[in-house]
Amino acid sequence: MRKILIGIVVLLLALVAAAFFGPRFIPADSLKAEISEQVRAATGRELIIDGDLSFTLLPAPGVTVSGVRVSNIEGAQAADMLQLGAAQIVVALGPLITGTVEIERVVLVEPVLELEQLADGTDNWTFAPSETAAAADTGDGGGAIASSGRAASIQLNDLVVRDGTVVFRNPAITERIDGINASFGAASLLGPFRAEGDLVVRGMAARVNAAIGELEFEQAIPVSVSGGVGESELSFSGLLSGFPNQPRVAGELEGKTDNLANLVAAVSGEALPGGLAASPLAIKGDLEADTGAVALNNLSLAVAGINATGAANAALGETPEIDLILNVGQLDLDKVLADFQSGVRKASGAPARAGGAPAGGQKTGPTGSSTAAAPEAAFALPTSLDATIETKIDALLYRGGVVRQAALIAQLADGELTISQLTAQLPGSADVSLFGFVTARDGLAAFGGQGEANADDLRGLLTWLGADVSAVPLDRLRKLALTAKLDGVPEQLNITEIDLGIDGSRIRGGVAVALRERLGLGIGLSIDKLNIDAYLPEVAGAPAPAGAAPPATRQPRSGRIATPPGQGGLAFLGGFDSVLQLKAGALTYRGKSIQGLNIDGTLAA
């Protein structure tokens, strides 16, 4: 930072000296060479003035120059780091006579600043002054600044930028800020500083307003920054301390937007689903940051009707580390999904089909003609980022029921996502848990892990999930205990080592599911014992098995008469292919006992 300031000061002082002494005694060409030499000594870069250089002495010393260029480093894409269409500097005459440089006004017309970082880490904003200039710039940074009377005796009242451009490049990205129209001021090179202006980011109008107090060695310095992009606002108010050796800031950060989709588009260039297009966002927290880490504590977040609290921390090392904790008291997922579907329908201009899929199954162009789907990029998790997320939802309203204590703990490291905890308490006195790993496998997202579920009221759980179990006798579907291993990619799921207990029966084995247009199932299960009769509804007039309770003890439900075996439709069998291997130690059906049942068959179109 000090080297950048030195370069700017040398350039300004050289132009001021030229304005005061140059008009009568120094030819313009000689003065151009002298200014270039001073800048080269301070920064190690070439300054070239292609245009005119003119001076005024009264009523105030000033210089006007056009066609200014500052060279870039070797290997940079742009030949020049800085280009200026024109510049004007006006200096107050009275203070100059007493030895104080008070620059009344600097106007930079159409400046273009190219900031670039090369693949080897070299950047073009680090200057390399000549040996003479470097020798004059030794010692403690804070002491040098504090002991320099020149820093405090140079005042910049107003620096105006008209139609400026800043470009940042590295091997991964190129970002551009255009239409910069701003005003800057500094009571001295040590501040206080102010800045305000407008600019264009990713095609969206933005605004910035900032104020920084006077830079004092190891003192608390007030900082205030606010700005916005489109409908979004962001502000920070706090203190800067530890200047200049270990600078750190602490204060309150607050932001809000009325349209989350527009903000995401401005920041990342990506579009959000239509259901989130008009969602508001509000964030507030205590920000602490230094050169190696950023922390946002006492975080409160509200987005799309969801209110959360927590904290976020980031360590900015060679491999950044991010930790995020979010806690939600209550989330009405039914409402969120309804709002999302409504937004999708509005965005598409047509009612969505069940599941939210557009009719037809093909993507269409602006005129409705079908277009081929773009090839999907290979799935990969970042290897240069470590992250941990912990989130908990106390009460999640879904399908008219309440899911309690839903919790997730996941870690991203070395290109692998570890889900160490995913748990929830479901209706039906049930609880589920899952842990495992998400990795990239042949360009696809892959999951491998183990799940567990237990329920003391299986009937209540199935009813909440939408299954009609009213025909099953009330003394059945009581308890469930399940463990299984899962492994799969988007088009294939394997469930192995199944150990399922339902009421008094135990089922073991595995299931393979091929998720394609025509579902494919591979089922290999063994059951120790199952009383099928106990799960079938009573049929009016049917004889009761020997030893069963009198018919009066089991009444038909709401007049419903079950369909006798053999009369049900089998049309659903045409929707999938299946390979079935089923073994049963003992089955009871229609009062008959079946021992050692072994079924091995195939169902195909």
Side-chain angles (χ1 to χ4, degrees), residues 351-353 357-362:
R353 300 178 65 193
Q362 282 186 320

Side-chain angles (χ1 to χ4, degrees), residues 57-70:
L57 188 57
L58 296 174
V63 58
T64 301
V65 63
S66 62
V68 178
R69 296 182 289 121
V70 176

Side-chain angles (χ1 to χ4, degrees), residues 245-308:
N245 298 319
Q246 294 179 326
R248 55 190 178 275
V249 294
E252 184 175 84
L253 179 72
E254 187 170 0
K256 63 179 181 179
T257 182
D258 294 331
N259 192 309
L260 179 60
N262 287 347
L263 177 62
V264 172
V267 174
S268 67
E270 299 293 333
L272 284 179
L276 296 176
S279 296
L281 167 71
I283 185 171
K284 186 175 182 180
D286 297 330
L287 177 68
E288 297 181 12
D290 55 30
T291 56
V294 179
L296 189 59
N297 297 309
N298 298 321
L299 172 66
S300 63
L301 176 69
V303 57
I306 304 170
N307 296 304

